[in-house]
Amino acid sequence: MTDATSPKQPLRFRSYGSRGPTVVLVHGGPGAPGYMAPVARELADSFRVLEQFQRGSGDLSLTVDLHVEDLHQFLLSHTPQRQPIIVGHSWGAMLALVFASVHDDLIGGLVLIGCGTFTRAARKRLVDIRAERTSNAWKAEAAGVSSCADGPDDKMRAMGALFEKIDSFDLMSHDDETMQCDARAHHESWDDMMRLQDDGVYPTVFASIKVPVLMLHGQHDPHPGRMIYDDLLPFIPHMEYRDWSDCGHYPWLERIVRSEFLGCLKEWLSACAEVD
């Protein structure tokens, strides 16, 4: 693994593996880089993997367009003679779709893991599922986080750990590899995504996506996979869908389906690269 900074922008990335097709990982959050490292390590034997860390908060207000341009420049710098396959998780899957709608010619395919929502109905279902799963003990713990957290970034990390419990089915023991959480980056980026959805931009523009697209989802993920798939399918009719019953929002950490998930991901990436 190599940890580096992109020469054309002040953004960090990690590189894994040295041979095979190129895969670019796009993390979720937004504002939570680093946690996809286990996926990168699993793919490194067969693929050259680049784990890009999205721009954090600073002088510029973060927008979806800014994240897309950052990813564009990143690919031009680090995959100039390749058409990498983008693998996005959660918010990262949403961002990958937006990127593909603008730069379809630069990539070989998309994998959407635990993709986020694109309609108010799907978001309401997400909220309702989480509400059904929150016990009094969970609510008390969340209240404690709100009162004791050392600032918004610390609160974001702590609440992320709490939501991981109700968003998952049977997690393996694992270390949290998320780097510094960035609550301001989260809110700025997410607010802009919501604005663009409310304006009807997304998912309509996804009709321009022609590359192969695979959606991988856990049935226990509160992000309602089938609803999200149905919302996207009119615009991406060639999109494939695969889900697992005993699986939540982080399939690579789920004890029961981890091996099957990783096998499915590797097989599809290899087949997509051969077609490309």
Side-chain angles (χ1 to χ4, degrees):
M1 179 189 75
T2 301
D3 195 333
T5 301
S6 175
K8 293 189 177 182
Q9 55 190 339
L11 303 180
R12 293 177 59 198
F13 68 97
R14 290 191 291 220
S15 177
Y16 306 74
S18 59
R19 61 181 181 178
T22 300
V23 173
V24 175
L25 301 183
V26 182
H27 66 77
Y35 72 86
M36 292 193 75
V39 180
R41 290 192 293 267
E42 287 291 338
L43 297 178
D45 287 345
S46 304
F47 303 92
R48 174 176 176 254
V49 183
L50 301 176
E51 181 191 9
Q52 186 228 18
F53 302 150
Q54 294 155 35
R55 182 186 298 266
S57 59
D59 294 337
L60 295 175
S61 180
L62 296 180
T63 65
V64 175
D65 283 347
L66 182 55
H67 286 303
V68 167
E69 181 56 24
D70 283 344
L71 183 54
H72 180 211
Q73 293 302 322
F74 180 81
L75 295 191
L76 291 179
S77 297
H78 300 286
T79 63
Q81 298 176 333
R82 301 177 175 89
Q83 284 187 306
I85 302 169
I86 296 182
V87 177
H89 174 251
S90 197
W91 151 268
M94 303 170 77
L95 184 59
L97 283 166
V98 177
F99 180 86
S101 73
V102 181
H103 299 293
D104 185 83
D105 58 317
L106 294 182
I107 61 176
L110 289 177
V111 180
L112 316 174
I113 305 172
C115 187
T117 59
F118 285 97
T119 64
R120 291 185 179 183
R123 284 194 294 280
K124 181 180 184 302
R125 183 60 186 141
L126 163 63
V127 171
D128 289 346
I129 292 172
R130 279 178 165 168
E132 293 166 2
R133 296 179 183 176
T134 52
S135 64
N136 289 334
W138 189 96
K139 294 175 183 177
E141 195 169 355
V145 165
S146 297
S147 61
C148 299
D150 185 18
D153 295 345
D154 184 56
K155 178 180 177 180
M156 179 179 169
R157 178 184 289 275
M159 288 303 301
L162 281 179
F163 276 113
E164 183 182 77
K165 295 178 181 179
I166 60 175
D167 289 354
S168 303
F169 185 80
D170 183 18
L171 281 186
M172 301 168 51
S173 176
H174 65 283
D175 294 326
D176 179 7
E177 298 190 54
T178 306
M179 300 166 66
Q180 178 65 41
C181 287
D182 189 334
R184 181 180 155 197
H186 175 88
H187 290 297
E188 289 180 356
S189 302
W190 187 251
D191 287 350
D192 193 50
M193 174 64 77
M194 293 299 96
R195 177 185 66 82
L196 290 162
Q197 289 189 21
D198 288 342
D199 288 348
V201 177
Y202 310 136
T204 305
V205 298
F206 300 160
S208 65
I209 299 174
K210 305 305 178 187
V211 297
V213 181
L214 172 65
M215 184 173 174
L216 300 175
H217 218 88
Q219 292 179 21
H220 194 73
D221 189 338
H223 301 77
R226 281 289 177 182
M227 285 185 71
I228 297 167
Y229 174 72
D230 289 342
D231 290 336
L232 294 175
L233 195 60
F235 308 100
I236 317 173
H238 59 284
M239 180 169 59
E240 303 173 60
Y241 184 82
R242 174 72 187 275
D243 64 7
W244 291 270
S245 59
D246 299 334
C247 180
H249 194 51
Y250 303 90
W252 63 91
L253 297 176
E254 290 283 0
R255 192 184 316 276
I256 297 173
V257 305
R258 177 178 183 276
S259 295
E260 187 175 348
F261 161 78
L262 290 170
C264 177
L265 176 59
K266 292 176 184 179
E267 182 179 359
W268 193 90
L269 290 172
S270 296
C272 185
E274 287 177 4
V275 171
D276 182 53

